[in-house]
Amino acid sequence: MTELVNGNVQVQHRKLPLSKKIFRAIAISLGAILMATGLEIFLVPNKVIDGGVTGISIMLSHLTGIELGIFLFLLNLPFVYLGYKQMGKTFAISTVYGIIVLSVFTTLFHPVPAFTDDILLATIFGGMILGIGVGIVIRFGGALDGTEILSLVITKKVPFSVGQIIMFVNIFILGAAGFVFSFDRAMYSLLAYVIAAKAIDTVVEGLEESKSVWIISDLAEEIGNAVNARLGRGVTYLKGEGAYTGDDKKVIFSIITRLEESKLTTIVEEIDPNAFLAIADISEVRGGRFKKRDIH
């Protein structure tokens, strides 16, 4: 929504329905509890850390004897203000709520004995559970670690990407774990970090690994009908114009899964071997008629 104020267009944000706010709160709570589980029941008892503020908190908790939840809450607070400036009020509120739930449950889980004392199993499953939890929180508009928020600020002042800054910070933190615990624990911590990062990507980007498809062909309708009939996928025809020839072109747009990519390529090659075909990964699909139709 927009309105005119003193000659300037002001954008008004629509409030989320209460049901969506409740669902978001439940999802963020679940994500924070999963992260607390990965930390206190798998990683921390086996002296394995994660990257970012979480890793610093684990080392400080080990050195001082103060509960992990306190450090997680206190060290992340300064980044909430940065998050408010960079991402807005909704992000800041979601982040504060997630950090509070994380801090409370790490404190509650602290007396619980480790699920396993096998260091490799603890690293794999701890990293996986932690990553799933963080991914859920990110997918619903929050964060549980201030490192990524800080990197967004730093990247504006230095010629490095957000990912490069996060990697640099985490290499330093995981290296420090070698002095606080031992260097074999530092290597396990690096493994846990990699597993957690992959789990985060899987949750945030989705499990189905959908792909967008663009096809330009003189036989566009024939290809579109075949995709619809043989893959059960809907297609959309877009109007295009060749920049060099000026000819009108019909462009096919569709969404498929990675399992259907090979069959789609075969369909296009059978009908028009000279067709232009572009396939790209996409992280999320909502609305429309993406749901696959039964082709049997």
Side-chain angles (χ1 to χ4, degrees), residues 91-198:
F91 174 82
I93 292 172
S94 299
T95 299
V96 169
Y97 175 71
I99 291 171
I100 290 173
V101 174
L102 173 64
S103 301
V104 169
F105 275 88
T106 49
T107 301
L108 292 175
F109 289 162
H110 186 68
V112 178
F115 191 81
T116 177
D117 57 3
D118 185 306
I119 183 69
L120 183 58
L121 287 177
T123 299
I124 294 172
F125 284 92
M128 191 184 305
I129 293 170
L130 184 150
I132 291 172
V134 173
I136 291 173
V137 174
I138 292 174
R139 194 174 179 98
F140 284 89
L144 293 176
D145 193 287
T147 308
E148 293 178 2
I149 302 172
L150 177 63
S151 66
L152 287 172
V153 178
I154 295 176
T155 193
K156 294 182 177 181
K157 304 180 184 297
V158 297
F160 299 105
S161 68
V162 172
Q164 289 171 330
I165 294 170
I166 292 174
M167 180 61 71
F168 175 78
V169 172
N170 283 327
I171 287 174
F172 176 78
I173 293 170
L174 295 171
F179 296 96
V180 175
F181 300 114
S182 63
F183 282 99
D184 68 325
R185 288 300 192 270
M187 288 187 284
Y188 279 115
S189 297
L190 179 60
L191 177 60
Y193 169 72
V194 172
I195 293 171
K198 182 61 179 176

Side-chain angles (χ1 to χ4, degrees), residues 6-296:
N6 296 327
N8 296 317
V9 176
Q10 301 289 323
V11 178
Q12 292 184 325
H13 297 283
R14 293 182 178 178
K15 291 185 178 180
L16 282 176
L18 180 60
S19 59
K20 287 192 174 182
K21 289 181 179 179
I22 293 173
F23 184 73
R24 174 180 285 183
I26 292 172
I28 291 175
S29 299
L30 174 62
I33 292 170
L34 284 173
M35 182 174 178
T37 302
L39 288 173
E40 286 289 3
I41 299 182
F42 287 91
L43 299 181
V44 175
N46 288 286
K47 296 183 173 60
V48 177
I49 74 168
D50 185 33
V53 173
T54 304
I56 296 173
S57 300
I58 293 172
M59 289 187 285
L60 288 175
S61 176
H62 174 76
L63 293 173
T64 63
I66 299 174
E67 289 186 358
L68 173 61
I70 295 175
F71 284 112
L72 287 172
F73 181 75
L74 293 178
L75 295 184
N76 275 303
L77 274 183
F79 299 106
V80 174
Y81 178 73
L82 291 176
Y84 171 72
K85 287 292 187 181
Q86 295 291 319
M87 309 289 286
K89 184 172 69 173
T90 302
F91 174 82
I93 292 172
S94 299
T95 299
V96 169
Y97 175 71
I99 291 171
I100 290 173
V101 174
L102 173 64
S103 301
V104 169
F105 275 88
T106 49
T107 301
L108 292 175
F109 289 162
H110 186 68
V112 178
F115 191 81
T116 177
D117 57 3
D118 185 306
I119 183 69
L120 183 58
L121 287 177
T123 299
I124 294 172
F125 284 92
M128 191 184 305
I129 293 170
L130 184 150
I132 291 172
V134 173
I136 291 173
V137 174
I138 292 174
R139 194 174 179 98
F140 284 89
L144 293 176
D145 193 287
T147 308
E148 293 178 2
I149 302 172
L150 177 63
S151 66
L152 287 172
V153 178
I154 295 176
T155 193
K156 294 182 177 181
K157 304 180 184 297
V158 297
F160 299 105
S161 68
V162 172
Q164 289 171 330
I165 294 170
I166 292 174
M167 180 61 71
F168 175 78
V169 172
N170 283 327
I171 287 174
F172 176 78
I173 293 170
L174 295 171
F179 296 96
V180 175
F181 300 114
S182 63
F183 282 99
D184 68 325
R185 288 300 192 270
M187 288 187 284
Y188 279 115
S189 297
L190 179 60
L191 177 60
Y193 169 72
V194 172
I195 293 171
K198 182 61 179 176
I200 291 171
D201 289 342
T202 300
V203 173
V204 173
E205 295 178 4
L207 295 171
E208 292 188 353
E209 297 186 41
S210 299
K211 294 176 179 287
S212 61
V213 179
W214 302 82
I215 306 168
I216 302 175
S217 170
D218 293 331
L219 302 173
E221 290 192 11
E222 190 175 342
I223 293 174
N225 291 335
V227 170
N228 191 277
R230 294 166 61 181
L231 283 183
R233 293 294 181 187
V235 300
T236 299
Y237 296 117
L238 307 173
K239 291 183 178 179
E241 180 181 335
Y244 180 73
T245 63
D247 294 339
D248 291 333
K249 296 287 185 180
K250 186 172 284 189
V251 182
I252 301 171
F253 175 74
S254 186
I255 302 292
I256 62 172
T257 66
R258 62 185 178 87
L259 296 178
E260 295 167 329
E261 182 177 347
S262 177
K263 189 171 182 179
L264 175 89
T265 303
T266 301
I267 291 172
V268 174
E269 288 178 348
E270 286 176 356
I271 298 173
D272 183 2
N274 297 318
F276 172 84
L277 171 64
I279 301 175
D281 295 329
I282 53 177
S283 59
E284 187 171 357
V285 179
R286 293 188 183 186
R289 298 181 179 179
F290 172 62
K291 191 172 182 180
K292 185 177 174 70
R293 182 177 59 80
D294 191 356
I295 60 175
H296 299 296

